[in-house]
Amino acid sequence: MRKALLLAGILGVSAIGASTLATAQPGDTGRAAFRQIYEEMVEIDSSPTTGSCTKVVRAAETRLKAAGFTAQDYEVIIPPNKPDDGNIVAKIRAQNPTKKGVLLMGHIDVVDARREDWERDPFTLFEENGYFYGRGTADMKGQAAVWLDLMIRLKQEAGFKPSRDVVLALTCGEETSNRVNGIDYILTNHKPWFDVAFALNEGAGGLLSADGKALVLQIQAGEKIHQVFELEVTNPGGHSSRPMKENAIYQLMAATKKVSALSFPVQVTPVNREYFRITGPILGGEIGKAMSAVAKDPNDQAALKVLQADPSYNASLHTTCVATQLQAGHAPNALPQRATTTLSCRVMQGTTPEQVKATLEETIGDPNVKVSIVRRREGSTAPPLTDEIMGPVKAQAAKMWPGVPIAPLMTAGATDGRFLMNAGVPTYGLSGMFSKTGENNAHGLNEKLRVQSLYEGRDFLEAVVRAYVK
Ligand SMILES: [Zn+2]
């Protein structure tokens, strides 16, 4: 998951420390089988430098076949000339579907991990002190294993008659741009697999207090879109002994400075507003108060100002563009012929690249500065939190974590959900796996996941999926 949750750094006090939650109950036999799937997945290296997604895919295929999935029920999809970037999709068909299906999606690639930097072998699953350790334990082989295990059990369950298709997609390429993104690839080349009503993805879990109490269950509903722009000034140049008034670097600097002062209009989306309403009282303090005030009145300028002073909340409130790269000139003794600034824009859903471009051009107000779209990502829309989606989430959360509020959140970073949302499939991030802020250390050293959180997440996701397809 390439993103920072909004609460990151705010709530977490201690990143280490024993949980005060009761230890996980010894599970059913199904839990042991699930744990084996999880272990196998973590222990197959699927990092870009030394690993292979296809190996994970083949292991999953073996399990699906053993469970009774036939060649019509699943497909291994390997992009041409990318033998290690494999994906697998599978489907349990409804006999008389009343609605389009539900997609259970998870990326199976992980970030590189170097044995010499880790305390334990990153590609061996260790269970110690209430945690599972290993690369991908948290991001996101836990949830991927939950999906695979659930598909297998549903397939084998006598009398399981879903009202709609249940579709699984375990895909590669979420963590790095060097690989083929599986979701994007399948949408382009095998789209019928994704003809579904909505998708469940990574992107949100639950938050524990410093002493291990469940504070809030999160559901990710929407994420910002990464669009890249370039500002460019060109000039015939000439000898540096003969400076001219028109100078590509000076013109570009002036334009870049204007962009640095640009603030896109604040958008307190319904998800923002609900997030602030739930989270404000939990956080308390100046920020918490400001959240509660904005939840009450989204035009409360004083409260908005407090939130905008925090980079995380500022990012959630509007489109941002920031200069990330600069290139100019070709020789120390020549007038610059070209100067460019790269802008990384994180755009609120519903805003098109053309709209951002127009705002940039208007802000710069100089026809000599050419604004172009380098990476186009469409506007898409934030997925609505309908009763159909929220009903089962609320019901199961009330059983498992009574009294714990549910906060929808929009992330400022991106997941694979962006491709599906662009394709019109509402995609929600939901795992039911609680952690303290930052404790999983996803992408970092000694990545880990609470044992209890994994098993609770499994129970939670199973109940929610069963309700969706009942
Ligand atoms: Zn991830």
Side-chain angles (χ1 to χ4, degrees):
M1 174 161 67
R2 290 190 273 183
K3 42 145 220 69
L5 292 181
L6 295 182
L7 276 169
I10 303 291
L11 279 171
V13 179
S14 148
I16 342 161
S19 163
T20 59
L21 289 168
T23 35
Q25 295 301 307
D28 49 285
T29 50
R31 181 176 287 184
F34 161 68
R35 193 191 183 285
Q36 275 181 8
I37 293 176
Y38 180 55
E39 180 173 307
E40 178 178 74
M41 241 186 226
V42 171
E43 297 196 347
I44 299 175
D45 178 358
S46 55
S47 67
T49 306
T50 55
S52 164
C53 288
T54 305
K55 282 188 186 158
V56 179
V57 163
R58 292 297 176 198
E61 180 186 22
T62 301
R63 290 182 181 277
L64 289 171
K65 275 163 89 169
F69 285 83
T70 66
Q72 286 78 51
D73 302 326
Y74 80 90
E75 188 174 0
V76 171
I77 297 172
I78 303 174
N81 306 317
K82 288 284 191 176
D84 290 323
D85 294 4
N87 312 279
I88 189 165
V89 284
K91 188 184 282 187
I92 298 174
R93 286 188 174 78
Q95 272 171 359
N96 299 299
T98 51
K99 291 172 265 188
K100 279 191 181 186
V102 178
L103 173 63
L104 315 178
M105 60 187 281
H107 68 84
I108 49 170
D109 59 324
V110 295
V111 173
D112 281 331
R114 286 158 43 158
R115 173 68 190 95
E116 59 270 32
D117 299 340
W118 280 53
E119 284 170 30
R120 306 162 190 81
D121 177 15
F123 298 108
T124 301
L125 184 73
F126 288 91
E127 184 175 344
E128 279 175 38
N129 315 318
Y131 289 95
F132 287 116
Y133 289 85
R135 172 58 88 222
T137 46
D139 184 11
M140 61 166 289
K141 285 178 168 171
Q143 195 168 354
V146 166
W147 293 147
L148 180 58
D149 168 68
L150 181 59
M151 289 296 280
I152 287 169
R153 284 187 298 117
L154 293 178
K155 183 79 177 173
Q156 291 177 323
E157 187 174 295
F160 176 65
K161 292 211 165 45
S163 62
R164 62 210 302 185
D165 293 349
V166 193
V167 184
L168 168 75
L170 300 179
T171 60
C172 196
E174 196 270 349
E175 297 287 11
T176 165
S177 50
N178 300 331
R179 283 176 142 165
V180 177
N181 182 285
I183 295 292
D184 191 25
Y185 185 81
I186 295 166
L187 273 170
T188 309
N189 299 286
H190 302 264
K191 197 166 183 198
W193 282 104
F194 290 163
D195 185 21
V196 293
F198 63 91
L200 300 181
N201 186 25
E202 65 170 343
L207 200 70
L208 296 173
S209 65
D211 59 353
K213 279 207 277 296
L215 288 175
V216 59
L217 175 70
Q218 296 168 332
I219 174 165
Q220 188 227 31
E223 52 193 51
K224 291 176 89 177
I225 308 158
H226 192 203
Q227 296 169 358
V228 180
F229 295 81
E230 190 177 77
L231 313 181
E232 182 188 44
V233 183
T234 52
N235 187 290
H239 203 283
S240 66
S241 63
R242 195 176 151 273
M244 288 181 287
K245 205 163 166 269
E246 300 248 300
N247 177 300
I249 290 180
Y250 295 154
Q251 286 171 307
L252 183 78
M253 289 300 96
T256 306
K257 187 129 197 267
K258 282 185 188 162
V259 173
S260 79
L262 165 64
S263 180
F264 284 79
V266 165
Q267 291 173 259
V268 181
T269 65
V271 166
N272 273 337
R273 198 169 175 181
E274 182 66 1
Y275 177 85
F276 291 148
R277 186 181 73 79
I278 300 288
T279 311
I282 296 172
L283 275 181
E286 197 195 9
I287 291 264
K289 248 196 235 159
M291 284 183 177
S292 299
V294 171
K296 219 181 258 166
D297 173 12
N299 292 313
D300 186 327
Q301 296 304 318
L304 283 170
K305 213 173 151 197
V306 172
L307 295 180
Q308 283 183 262
D310 177 289
S312 298
Y313 300 119
N314 179 54
S316 79
L317 283 168
H318 51 168
T319 293
T320 60
C321 288
V322 63
T324 51
Q325 286 177 307
L326 203 56
Q327 265 181 328
H330 58 285
N333 56 0
L335 298 174
Q337 288 166 208
R338 180 187 303 271
T340 61
T341 299
T342 303
L343 297 176
S344 169
C345 296
R346 302 288 176 160
V347 179
M348 298 294 274
Q349 283 177 305
T351 306
T352 64
E354 282 70 24
Q355 288 171 318
V356 176
K357 182 170 179 263
T359 304
L360 291 171
E361 284 169 344
E362 195 184 316
T363 301
I364 292 165
D366 179 352
N368 293 314
V369 180
K370 190 178 145 214
V371 180
S372 50
I373 303 167
V374 176
R375 186 200 281 179
R376 155 175 291 282
R377 293 255 195 269
E378 296 309 322
S380 78
T381 48
L385 288 164
T386 57
D387 290 345
E388 184 197 10
I389 296 296
M390 291 307 289
V393 172
K394 283 182 188 162
Q396 187 59 23
K399 272 188 211 161
M400 294 182 65
W401 308 288
V404 172
I406 302 171
L409 64 89
M410 179 200 69
T411 47
T415 73
D416 274 344
R418 68 187 188 273
F419 297 106
L420 285 158
M421 285 186 272
N422 279 350
V425 177
T427 303
Y428 303 92
L430 183 71
S431 76
M433 297 177 197
F434 282 73
S435 61
K436 296 181 192 175
T437 300
E439 83 172 340
N440 292 341
N441 209 23
H443 297 195
L445 282 182
N446 308 314
E447 179 178 348
K448 66 182 189 291
L449 178 66
R450 279 169 195 257
V451 173
Q452 181 176 350
S453 296
L454 178 67
Y455 292 142
E456 284 185 357
R458 173 175 177 255
D459 293 345
F460 173 72
L461 290 172
E462 173 172 353
V464 169
V465 171
R466 281 184 185 274
Y468 287 146
V469 304
K470 210 167 84 175

